Amino acid sequence: MSKRAKILIWSAFGAYIALMLWLLFGQRWNLGGSENYSQRLMENLNLVPFRTIGEYMRVLLSGQTHLRSHAMINLAGNVVMFVPLGFFLPLVAKSCRTYWKHLLWVLLILLCIEVLQLVTLLGSCDVDDFLLNIPGTAIGYGLFSLFIRNKMDKYS
């Protein structure tokens, strides 16, 4: 791979990481708040699989049109926003080019994000976010495999 291509890939990956940090943590930054930390911690935690997904699905199927866009953005957004991670990870790290190693790294990254959201109270620690992010990274890895992998294997 040419030096120019590597710079372009790393620049795009860096921009994606910066955007993700802002979306996941930065836009929620709030230094104020008089609530008890442990109370806020429990409000920002969901360990019941499919609870949040089920709530959003009920909204989508109900007549609550004013809430549908929020539900759709949350469900689709949790998938779509992680497609680039699945695509970029094997591009920037050779060790992530096999499916199982890629999956292991993705699970570790997603777990770190959820724990950081819980500890910092910047966002919510939701098992359903984790469950929705995984298909997004799988789609990204699939796109990498379809369009890039064979070309990289030839030149590396």
Side-chain angles (χ1 to χ4, degrees), residues 50-148:
F50 303 104
R51 176 189 286 167
T52 307
I53 293 170
E55 289 171 8
Y56 284 130
M57 292 305 293
R58 279 189 288 284
V59 167
L60 289 175
L61 298 172
S62 74
Q64 301 173 350
T65 56
H66 63 287
L67 296 175
R68 282 186 181 167
S69 63
H70 177 72
M72 192 61 177
I73 288 169
N74 192 293
L75 291 171
N78 269 302
V79 175
V80 171
M81 68 191 262
F82 282 89
V83 170
L85 179 64
F87 183 80
F88 279 120
L89 204 52
L91 271 177
V92 299
K94 266 187 174 180
S95 63
C96 293
R97 291 190 185 153
T98 66
Y99 174 77
W100 293 110
K101 286 185 181 179
H102 182 269
L103 181 61
L104 181 65
W105 276 105
V106 161
L107 294 174
L108 182 64
I109 291 167
L110 295 177
L111 182 63
C112 287
I113 289 169
E114 293 301 321
V115 169
L116 274 172
Q117 285 182 321
L118 178 65
V119 172
T120 63
L121 299 178
L122 299 173
S124 62
C125 178
D126 193 331
V127 68
D128 289 347
D129 289 348
F130 190 83
L131 295 174
L132 290 167
N133 298 158
I134 293 169
T137 61
I139 292 167
Y141 182 79
L143 292 172
F144 165 79
S145 293
L146 280 173
F147 298 110
I148 308 292

Side-chain angles (χ1 to χ4, degrees), residues 27-45:
Q27 67 178 345
R28 293 171 177 84
W29 190 262
N30 181 5
L31 295 175
S34 58
E35 297 174 15
N36 183 342
Y37 179 81
S38 61
Q39 177 186 351
R40 289 185 59 207
L41 191 74
M42 294 312 295
E43 291 170 358
N44 289 319
L45 178 64

